[in-house]
Amino acid sequence: MPFQPLDPLLHAELRLAVMSLLISTDEAEFPYIKEQTGATAGNLSVQVDKLSAAGYISVEKTFKGKRPCTICRITEKGRQAFEAYVEALKSYLQVNKS
Amino acid sequence: MPFQPLDPLLHAELRLAVMSLLISTDEAEFPYIKEQTGATAGNLSVQVDKLSAAGYISVEKTFKGKRPCTICRITEKGRQAFEAYVEALKSYLQVNKS
DNA sequence: ATAATTTGGTTTATAACATAAACTTGTTTA
DNA sequence: TAAACAAGTTTATGTTATAAACCAAATTAT
C-alpha cells in the first residue's frame, strides 16, 4: 500500500496546530495557544488533555501572580510522533510518484 | 492566525488517499482504489460519494464486459481543492517559521 | 463594600464523521 | 443448479471534534 497510516491523534486540525506551535516555541501558555489557534477554550482544553494523555506534551499548572497558568511543552515522544506524521503525510502529498 | 483552515473534506485519511491517487492517475476503477488504499468497499463507497457530491471527483458507472465498473476521475475543482489543501497544510508543517 | 465583568479554564452535550458489518444484485465456477 | 465470487450500496455503531454551559477566582466598576 503506497499510503502510510496517519496518527489519528495528530491528524486533527486543532491538535496539529498545537503541536506545530509547540514544536517551534517549546513552551507556551494556554491563552497564547488559544489566541494563536483561534480555538475556543473548551475545545482547546479537551485537545490538550488528549495530547497530554498520549504523552505528546506535558502540562504544568502553576500560577502567574495570583492567576492560574497552564504551560504546555512538547515531549520527545511528541516531537518524534510529529516528525513521523509529517513523513507519513508525504506519501499522500507527493504528486509525482514517478 | 498563523494556521490556515483545512478543508474537512480532504482532511480525512481515506478521502485524501483517493484524491492523491486520482491526482496522479487521472482515472481509476473502484477495485483498484480499494486495493491501493486498503479500504473496505463500504467505507470507500461512502467516501467516493462524498467526494463526488462535493464535485471533487466525477464517477462514471459503466460495464466491463458484463460486470459493473465504477470509474473515478478528479475534476478541476478537485484538483484546485487538493492544491489549496496542500498549501494550507504547510502552515502547520513548516517547523522553522522564522 | 459588593456587584458586575473578566480570566482561565473544565465538564457536558451534541452533531458530524469514519468505519465496519450486513445486505443486494448479478456473474462465474464447481 | 448450487455455491462462491465480484462489485458495490445501505445501514448501524462507535468515535471524535466542537461548542455550549458551567465554575472558581481575581479584577474592575459603582
Side-chain angles (χ1 to χ4, degrees), chain A:
Chain A
M1 220 208 319
F3 301 105
Q4 291 176 245
L6 299 174
D7 182 345
L9 240 115
L10 294 182
H11 196 63
E13 189 162 352
L14 181 48
R15 287 197 297 269
L16 189 63
V18 170
M19 292 294 282
S20 177
L21 269 181
L22 293 181
I23 275 266
S24 40
T25 69
D26 229 74
E27 172 172 326
E29 294 175 12
F30 190 98
Y32 175 77
I33 301 175
K34 179 172 178 295
E35 174 216 303
Q36 290 287 304
T37 58
T40 61
N43 191 9
L44 182 55
S45 178
V46 170
Q47 307 311 329
V48 160
D49 270 2
K50 287 190 184 172
L51 289 172
S52 171
Y56 286 5
I57 67 174
S58 69
V59 176
E60 185 191 356
K61 291 189 174 295
T62 59
F63 282 85
K64 207 178 180 181
K66 293 177 181 177
R67 292 169 164 289
C69 178
T70 300
I71 299 174
C72 299
R73 295 185 185 81
I74 198 163
T75 63
E76 186 51 34
K77 185 179 180 186
R79 193 175 297 273
Q80 282 173 16
F82 187 85
E83 277 164 24
Y85 172 78
V86 173
E87 279 312 302
L89 253 191
K90 286 183 185 168
S91 67
Y92 295 77
L93 304 186
Q94 280 159 3
V95 171
N96 31 339
K97 294 162 194 149
S98 58

Side-chain angles (χ1 to χ4, degrees), chain B residues 22-53:
Chain B
L22 293 180
I23 274 267
S24 41
T25 69
D26 229 73
E27 172 171 325
E29 293 174 13
F30 190 98
Y32 175 76
I33 301 177
K34 178 172 177 298
E35 175 216 303
Q36 289 288 303
T37 58
T40 62
N43 191 10
L44 183 55
S45 178
V46 170
Q47 307 311 328
V48 160
D49 270 3
K50 287 190 184 174
L51 289 171
S52 171

Side-chain angles (χ1 to χ4, degrees), chain B residues 15 18-19 22 33 47-60 71-79:
Chain B
R15 286 196 300 268
V18 170
M19 291 293 284
L22 293 180
I33 301 177
Q47 307 311 328
V48 160
D49 270 3
K50 287 190 184 174
L51 289 171
S52 171
Y56 286 4
I57 68 175
S58 70
V59 176
E60 186 191 357
I71 299 173
C72 298
R73 294 183 186 83
I74 198 163
T75 63
E76 185 50 33
K77 185 178 179 186
R79 192 175 295 275

